[in-house]
Amino acid sequence: MTALTDLGVRAIRDGVRTGAFSAREVADAFIVAVSRAKPLNAFLVETPDHALAAAAAADTARANGELLKPLAGVPIGMKDLFCTAGVPTTAASHMLEGFTPTYESTVSAQLWGAGAGMLGKLNMDQFAMGSSNETSYFGNVVSPWKRSDGGNAPLAPGGSSGGSSAAVAARLCPGATGTDTGGSIRQPAAFTGISGIKPTYGRCSRWGVVAFASSLDQAGPMARDVTDCAIMLEGMAGFDAKDATSLRLDVPRWEAGLNPSMAGKRVGVPREYRVDGMPEEIEALWQRGCDWLRDAGAEVVEVSLPHTRYALPAYYIIAPAEASSNLARYDGVRYGLRDLPDGAGLQDMYAATRADGFGPEVKRRIMIGTYVLSAGFYDAYYTQAQKVRTLIARDFEHAWESCDVLLTPTAPSAAFALGEKSADPLAMYLNDVFTVPSSLAGLPAMSVPGGLDKAGLPLGLQVIGKPLDEQGVLNACLALEQRAGFFARPEAWW
């Protein structure tokens, strides 16, 4: 018999509905799995009572013959960027250590309303700033994967949603929430052999999500496969009057619309994404992805996104600028950490609190952002970066004239060892080279696992779609998923 923790979102939902097992049995199995996985450091807070309460509600509803909610019986992990009423929310930072919100984020509230239960809050890069989950104040998340070539170095699970990716890959939860500002859902999904989608900017409410870069941040699901992501996204998306950037649109029935046929579709391959020094394995996987989509009925065409080379520099001006503004609220006055040295005045308290509360990467980005917004440099940097952003969005608009979706690698490499790139911020930032352009344009984009590298580590393929065409992205990814036949999973060592 298949272990309950090996089941994904759809299988658990359907099993609870048919009575193949109870929601309580599912919750118990995952609670035990979480409790035994401390070496991964994926969970910052465990909330078994929340998961059990949701399971009890599902089992009671079924026993009474009531119609079950869409996610009844499904326990999930919640990235610690989402505020959860009565449960600590820290954004993995010392600045918010001990902060317990009295309110619920819109996304988490919708998931609980759909019947899901929370297994706990997931570790992440501090304030979502990082690509390896090494900037958390509460310690690194360790990938459940190990190299098969004899190397035993602990590996990065990607970032910033590294706790989410590690937990899903290690079967600690069937699905988890993530947030994506420049690739923080897609890159960790690729590193750990799972699926993750960043929807169109505005599909999911940002209310109650600790802000990093407000014009880029977007919530999305991370799960075992494409179908599970579609199910979770239906529960997360929707208009929210409390978020001025939320789209006033009905939530499509993405699961019902899943179709792996690509007949009549054109898939664009951006020539500018063939970067210097790209590993042969990444290039080979990209070619296999093209072949798989051709097999599904698509025509593959080459397209040009001429301003791609400027995407990363523009992103690392815009995102830190917005972070500098958003993180100004953490001053030791209203909530969170307060560092008040003896005899200190107000300015001394500000300085001491922010020096102690923020980690090195967060400080680096605040300083970059403050610099590019300062008098004399605003026009030279921030204004120019926003103009470049417009050009990048226009590149995509032109590309849609000749294709329906784009296919690219998700990341320029497989997972690297913890500590391998932490001393070189530029090398770390290059992890986002394939994911940042679609974030700047606000487009839906998804990563699915496509295979393993020579060291036995997962590699991901990315599909980018037109605005609001999550269905097209999901369908193309389903076609890739069916042909890739990726069933590899990490062997439990924790």
Side-chain angles (χ1 to χ4, degrees), residues 239-297:
F239 173 69
D240 180 11
K242 298 190 293 293
D243 176 6
T245 63
S246 178
L247 298 172
R248 192 183 289 271
L249 296 169
D250 292 334
V251 178
R253 297 182 63 199
W254 287 302
E255 181 191 7
L258 288 173
N259 182 355
S261 173
M262 294 293 289
K265 301 293 185 181
R266 289 177 294 178
V267 176
V269 176
R271 66 173 65 101
E272 289 80 8
Y273 279 48
R274 300 186 187 279
V275 297
D276 293 338
M278 181 186 293
E280 291 182 7
E281 290 171 312
I282 301 291
E283 182 73 44
L285 176 65
W286 196 2
Q287 184 57 54
R288 286 200 300 275
C290 292
D291 294 340
W292 289 331
L293 292 178
R294 284 193 190 95
D295 182 68

Side-chain angles (χ1 to χ4, degrees), residues 79-104:
K79 185 176 180 179
D80 198 36
L81 209 63
F82 295 84
C83 288
T84 42
V87 180
T89 300
T90 68
S93 175
H94 182 38
M95 184 63 80
L96 284 174
E97 187 175 10
F99 173 61
T100 301
T102 58
Y103 54 90
E104 194 79 36

